């Protein structure tokens, strides 16, 4: 007795049995292509996965129906041109989902088919991450203006590994570009589009070659290795480094008043001249403490007056510089702008009243029970954020962040003590405001190894513009000794640039820098390094500003070059580690370690050999009927 099992699984992928016109046909004049299969099929995400080359300015119509796929090209066909329709892995059978694998349909409007291919990788220039889904195209027009005036000739799109293959290429000389096309015109016209370019030219070619195919007996055992001849198309290692243009067009993104005492303005780009505010229902003169970030594209206006804070509607004219249609900065005024708090004053007042009533009831209850109680409603202290490490290195920093701008910062109430021979002594230090910051402060200290410190702040050291006072704070710090650290020395080579223009960064397993040094005399020295596992990258600081800079197509400037060390580095206590690193020895698309690469390859669709597994199961069931213990 048992339930019918339904027989063996269908493990066969769809097979093309014909097409109109035929695959690789010449002198084709029709815009409609129909491809027939031996079973019912489905097509997955055709808009993203199916690529038609040359690119179509009007989106083609692609439909799967029954045992056929119909592709209708909306653009007029070009004369003497090879067309390719690359379906990638979008086709599978309808019932079991068996993938067909990469499939490309080709035809020509002329007498011959162009068969060359150009392949390679597109990486993010800032971190060598593979870029998925970006368009890659070719021009046989080698002028710099082609990319901004003409649609790409042949096109492909990268997969999850950043890999691309441009098919149907004719003999000739080409330049390659990558474009994150935002407006569908297949050329670079918007600064918000990610692009990649270089001045190398590529001439496609091919040669006979062999590859090793693995024949699997089942999911665990290899049956044979077979040498298979194939046509190897070159080049197959084109590497394009994509970047975003610097945003230099300035306009106001948004204004907001999330907190009743702070007005915020967000711009696309900074300006040396800050916005001017003219109050229409209040006096804006000396009404604010202005806080701008380093780029001056985000500006906060802190209201000084409690009366204005409690006013729900602030009406104002805002004057600022913005970019006009010609790219010039001009003065613009937004009139009668209303700034409303997220929570109205009446609601805030009700919440405060509820809190006070709740506190009063608690104190009355304590009084009735003869418990200690407070007769005065407690005032909340200034919530200062102290970034103080309990275990420090000689280059550790202590920073202090205030929740609001200060009216008083009494540095005489900020102390640092060090323990020497079991006695606490005043340690030399300087407490100061961080440059270009309103609410950030730092403590400058020349730390001594193997020494205990105590960082102490007296009460009322800080008073903000609303009269809120800070409370006392105390925290211990211990600076480790030389035996607790590791020394890492990197011998850097491979680039014909000045040593000092190369900055090497140590990275954690999240690809974030934890320490950086500038190369000097061919070496990068990381001293007092905490034990652990690290990764490493370097970039060429061409302009000497100490930070990585993006590229600019109009200025013919590439993004500053970045390189990754392809292996993990382990540093241990008391160890001196020395490594040699030739920055260009490993191709760029193979440099970044997989452990810190965020763009992981998609799982390839594979045929499930379910019949093998089913045969195993039936065999086990048969043996059980014979009394064999498994």
């Amino acid at each position: 007795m048992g339930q019918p099992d339904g027989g063996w699984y269908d493990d066969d992928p769809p097979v093309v049995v014909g097409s109109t016109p035929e695959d690789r046909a010449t002198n084709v004049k029709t815009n409609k292509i129909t491809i027939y299969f031996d079973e019912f099929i489905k097509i997955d995400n055709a808009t993203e996965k199916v690529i038609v080359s040359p690119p179509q300015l009007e989106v083609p119509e692609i439909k799967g129906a029954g045992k056929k796929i119909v592709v209708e090209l909306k653009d007029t066909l070009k004369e003497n041109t090879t067309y390719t329709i690359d379906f990638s892995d979008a086709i599978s059978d309808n019932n079991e989902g068996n993938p067909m694998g990469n499939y490309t349909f080709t035809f020509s409007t002329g007498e011959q088919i162009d068969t060359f291919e150009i392949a390679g990788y597109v990486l993010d220039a800032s971190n060598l991450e593979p870029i998925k889904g970006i368009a890659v195209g070719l021009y046989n027009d080698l002028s710099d203006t082609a990319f901004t005036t003409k649609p790409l000739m042949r096109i492909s799109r990268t997969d999850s590994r950043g890999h691309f293959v441009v098919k149907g290429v004719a003999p000739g000389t080409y330049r390659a570009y990558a474009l994150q096309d935002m407006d569908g015109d297949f050329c670079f016209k918007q600064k918000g589009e990610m692009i990649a370019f270089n001045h190398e030219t590529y001439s496609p070619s091919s040669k006979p070659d062999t590859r090793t195919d693995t024949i699997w007996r089942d999911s665990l055992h290899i049956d044979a290795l077979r040498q298979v001849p194939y046509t190897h198309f070159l080049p197959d290692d084109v590497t394009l480094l994509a970047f975003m243009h610097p945003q230099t067009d300035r306009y106001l993104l948004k204004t907001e008043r999330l907190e009743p005492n702070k007005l915020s303005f967000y711009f696309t780009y900074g300006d040396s001249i800050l916005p001017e505010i003219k109050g229409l229902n209040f006096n804006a003169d000396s009404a604010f403490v202005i806080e701008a970030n380093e780029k001056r594209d985000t500006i906060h206006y802190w209201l000084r007056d409690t009366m204005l804070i409690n006013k729900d509607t602030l009406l104002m004219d805002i004057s600022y510089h913005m970019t006009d249609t010609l790219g010039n900065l001009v003065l613009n005024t937004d009139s009668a702008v209303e700034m409303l708090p997220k929570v109205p004053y009446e609601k805030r007042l009700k919440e405060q009243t509820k809190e006070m009533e709740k506190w009063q009831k608690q104190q009355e209850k304590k009084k009735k029970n003869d418990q200690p109680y407070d007769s005065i409603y407690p005032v909340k202290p200034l919530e200062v954020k102290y970034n103080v490490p309990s275990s420090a290195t000689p280059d550790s920093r202590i920073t202090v962040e205030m929740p609001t701008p200060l009216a008083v910062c009494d540095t005489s109430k900020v102390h640092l003590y060090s323990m020497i021979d079991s006695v606490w002594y005043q340690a030399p230090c300087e407490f100061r405001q961080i440059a270009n910051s309103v609410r950030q402060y730092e403590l400058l200290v020349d730390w001594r190894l193997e020494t205990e410190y105590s960082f102490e702040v007296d009460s009322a050291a800080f008073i903000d513009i609303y009269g809120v006072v800070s409370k006392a704070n105390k925290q211990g710090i211990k600076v480790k000794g030389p035996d607790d650290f590791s020394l890492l020395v990197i011998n850097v080579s491979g680039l014909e640039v000045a040593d000092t223009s190369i900055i090497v960064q140590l990275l954690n397993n999240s690809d974030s820098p934890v320490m950086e040094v500038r190369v000097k005399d061919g070496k990068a020295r990381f001293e007092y390094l905490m034990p652990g596992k690290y990764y490493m990258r370097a970039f060429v600081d061409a302009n000497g500003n100490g930070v990585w800079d993006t590229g600019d197509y109009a200025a013919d400037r590439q993004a500053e070059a970045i390189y990754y060390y392809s292996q993990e580095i382990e540093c241990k206590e008391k160890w001196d580690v020395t490594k040699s690193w030739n920055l260009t020895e490993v191709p760029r698309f193979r440099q970044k370690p997989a452990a810190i690469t965020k763009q992981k390859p998609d799982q390839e669709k594979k045929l499930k050999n379910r019949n093998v597994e089913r045969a195993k199961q039936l065999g086990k069931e048969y043996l059980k009927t014979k009394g064999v213990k498994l």
Side-chain angles (χ1 to χ4, degrees):
M1 298 291 292
Q3 184 176 355
D5 54 38
W8 298 100
Y9 290 104
D10 172 18
D11 275 341
D12 297 323
V15 176
V16 176
V17 295
S19 63
T20 306
E22 293 183 1
D23 190 13
R24 304 180 68 82
T26 57
N27 296 313
V28 173
K29 305 303 179 185
T30 179
N31 287 49
K32 187 175 182 180
I33 297 94
T34 305
I35 306 170
Y36 301 96
F37 298 86
D38 64 342
E39 59 180 315
F40 290 97
I41 56 90
K42 59 184 177 183
I43 184 163
D44 176 45
N45 203 358
T47 304
E48 291 186 10
K49 290 188 175 183
V50 182
I51 300 293
V52 179
S53 191
Q56 305 292 290
L57 296 179
E58 190 172 350
V59 179
E61 187 176 320
I62 303 171
K63 294 181 179 179
K67 296 183 179 182
K68 66 181 179 180
I69 289 177
V70 179
V71 179
E72 188 171 352
L73 304 180
K74 301 297 183 178
D75 289 0
T76 303
L77 297 180
K78 300 178 181 179
E79 296 182 357
N80 300 316
T81 300
T82 296
Y83 281 79
T84 58
I85 306 173
D86 188 349
F87 290 91
S88 184
D89 62 349
I91 302 173
S92 59
D93 67 23
N94 188 63
N95 294 326
E96 300 294 346
N98 296 313
M100 183 177 178
N102 292 332
Y103 172 63
T104 302
F105 184 88
T106 307
F107 67 91
S108 175
T109 58
E111 296 287 342
Q112 63 182 19
I113 293 281
D114 298 321
T115 58
F116 284 133
E117 298 177 2
I118 291 179
Y121 297 84
V122 180
L123 309 176
D124 190 324
S126 66
N127 54 20
L128 299 194
E129 281 283 320
I131 299 178
K132 178 182 178 180
I134 193 171
V136 183
L138 306 177
Y139 288 108
N140 59 5
D141 183 345
L142 305 184
S143 67
D144 293 336
T145 58
F147 191 35
T148 58
T149 57
K150 300 179 180 179
L152 294 161
M153 283 182 51
R154 315 276 328 160
I155 194 169
S156 178
R157 188 172 284 133
T158 56
D159 61 16
S160 60
R161 298 172 298 142
H163 185 255
F164 68 89
V165 181
V166 181
K167 300 179 180 181
V169 182
T173 302
Y174 300 89
R175 286 175 68 175
Y177 298 82
L179 173 65
Q180 204 169 52
D181 195 19
M182 306 295 289
D183 50 12
D185 60 359
F186 298 100
C187 60
F188 175 51
K189 290 182 179 177
Q190 298 187 32
K191 286 186 177 181
E193 297 174 328
M194 178 175 272
I195 63 166
F197 75 100
N198 59 42
H199 291 296
E200 293 185 45
T201 58
Y202 306 98
S203 298
S205 62
S206 64
K207 64 177 183 179
D209 208 339
T210 58
R211 65 169 177 259
T212 301
D213 278 4
T214 303
I215 309 300
W216 293 87
R217 183 184 311 156
D218 53 44
S219 59
L220 297 176
H221 301 90
I222 296 175
D223 187 61
L225 298 176
R226 185 173 60 184
Q227 297 297 316
V228 179
Y230 76 104
T231 301
H232 189 162
F233 293 100
L234 299 170
D236 60 356
D237 58 355
V238 175
T239 302
L240 297 172
L241 300 172
F243 60 87
M244 294 289 292
H245 257 266
Q247 175 59 269
T248 55
D249 291 339
R250 188 173 199 263
Y251 54 89
L252 182 61
L253 285 173
K254 66 175 180 177
T255 61
E256 64 184 12
R257 190 183 173 189
L258 296 179
E259 301 171 26
N261 59 337
K262 185 173 70 172
L263 316 179
S264 300
F265 300 85
Y266 300 92
F267 293 87
T268 56
Y269 194 70
D271 186 29
S272 59
I273 302 175
L274 295 177
E276 292 185 4
I277 293 178
K278 179 183 177 182
L280 301 181
N281 63 346
F282 70 100
N283 185 4
D285 296 339
S286 303
F288 307 107
V289 174
I290 303 174
E291 177 187 4
N293 66 347
E294 187 177 355
K295 295 181 179 180
R296 300 174 77 86
D297 57 7
T298 301
I299 304 104
H300 302 296
Y301 290 78
W302 295 87
L303 292 165
R304 296 176 181 270
D305 192 344
T306 306
M307 294 292 291
L308 293 181
I309 295 172
N310 294 336
K311 193 177 182 66
D312 277 345
T313 302
L314 295 178
L315 199 62
M316 64 190 71
D317 291 343
I318 308 171
S319 299
Y320 56 90
H321 285 102
M322 66 173 290
T323 306
D324 64 8
T325 55
L326 300 177
N328 301 317
L329 280 178
V330 297
L331 187 63
N332 179 72
T333 299
D334 293 342
S335 301
V337 177
E338 288 186 347
M339 299 294 284
L340 305 175
K342 186 176 182 180
V343 180
Y345 172 68
E346 185 177 345
K347 186 175 181 180
R348 299 198 306 272
L349 188 60
K350 286 181 179 180
E351 291 175 353
Q352 292 173 2
T353 303
K354 285 182 180 179
E355 287 182 9
M356 183 172 289
E357 290 174 350
K358 182 179 179 181
W359 175 84
Q360 288 174 341
K361 289 180 181 178
Q362 290 173 344
Q363 303 311 309
E364 289 173 0
K365 185 177 180 181
K366 288 180 179 179
K367 187 176 179 180
K368 287 180 180 179
N369 296 330
D370 293 329
Q371 296 177 345
Y373 66 93
D374 298 321
S375 58
I376 301 175
Y377 187 73
V379 178
K380 291 183 179 180
L382 191 67
E383 297 180 355
V384 181
K385 183 179 180 181
Y386 296 97
N387 299 308
V388 182
S390 58
S391 179
T393 65
D395 56 357
S396 293
R397 292 180 67 209
I398 290 179
T399 59
V400 180
E401 182 179 348
M402 307 299 169
T404 48
L406 295 184
V408 175
C409 177
D410 191 346
T411 57
S412 66
K413 294 184 177 182
V414 178
H415 314 282
L416 185 70
Y417 301 99
S418 61
M419 180 178 284
I420 302 174
D421 297 331
S422 301
V423 179
W424 288 104
Y425 293 92
Q426 185 88 32
C429 65
E430 181 186 356
F431 188 76
R432 68 179 188 184
Q433 190 171 15
I434 296 176
N436 301 317
S437 177
V438 171
R439 296 181 294 114
Q440 301 277 345
Y441 296 80
E442 63 181 349
L443 186 72
L444 302 181
V445 187
D446 186 10
W447 302 105
R448 296 176 56 183
L449 293 172
E450 296 182 303
T451 303
E452 288 188 36
Y453 290 87
S454 178
F455 175 61
E456 301 179 14
V457 179
D458 299 338
S459 60
F462 312 122
I463 305 174
D464 74 357
I465 58 176
Y466 309 114
V468 184
V469 180
S470 64
K471 62 181 181 180
N473 181 76
K474 182 178 179 179
Q475 185 167 341
I477 306 165
K478 184 174 182 178
V479 181
K480 295 185 175 183
D483 290 345
D484 296 314
F485 300 105
S486 178
L487 170 66
L488 175 62
V489 179
I490 308 296
N491 296 312
V492 180
S493 62
L495 289 179
E496 296 181 0
V497 297
D499 281 351
T500 53
S501 67
I502 302 175
I503 293 177
V504 180
Q505 297 176 323
L506 277 188
L507 313 170
N508 58 21
N509 56 10
S510 297
D511 198 23
S512 299
V514 295
M515 190 181 295
E516 70 175 31
V517 297
R518 196 175 287 272
V519 174
K520 186 177 180 181
D521 298 327
K523 298 180 184 296
R525 291 177 60 88
F526 295 93
E527 299 178 337
Y528 302 116
L529 185 60
M530 295 296 292
K533 294 181 179 180
Y534 298 93
Y535 300 90
M536 189 165 55
R537 71 177 171 214
F539 70 92
V540 179
D541 185 23
N543 58 8
N545 66 351
V547 296
W548 179 85
D549 292 292
T550 189
D552 189 320
Y553 186 77
D556 193 23
R557 184 177 68 246
Q558 294 286 341
E560 290 180 333
I562 276 188
Y563 304 88
Y564 272 75
Y565 188 68
S566 57
Q567 302 173 21
E568 182 186 77
I569 300 173
E570 184 174 5
C571 297
K572 298 181 179 180
E573 294 177 351
K574 304 180 185 179
W575 275 30
D576 292 350
V577 181
T578 301
K579 298 282 185 180
S580 295
W581 184 16
N582 184 326
L583 300 177
T584 58
E585 184 176 21
V586 178
R588 207 81 68 92
F589 61 87
R590 291 179 181 159
Q591 287 186 0
K592 191 165 187 178
I596 58 173
T597 299
K598 295 180 175 62
Q599 174 56 56
K600 303 296 184 184
D602 292 340
Q603 291 291 330
E604 294 183 1
K605 290 183 179 179
K606 295 181 179 179
L607 289 174
K608 297 178 182 178
N609 203 346
R610 293 167 294 184
N611 287 329
V612 172
E613 299 300 323
R614 178 157 178 73
K616 289 180 182 179
Q617 184 62 34
L618 290 174
K620 289 179 181 179
E621 292 175 0
Y622 174 76
L623 291 175
K624 286 180 180 179
T625 62
K626 298 299 182 181
V628 178
K629 293 184 178 180
L630 300 176

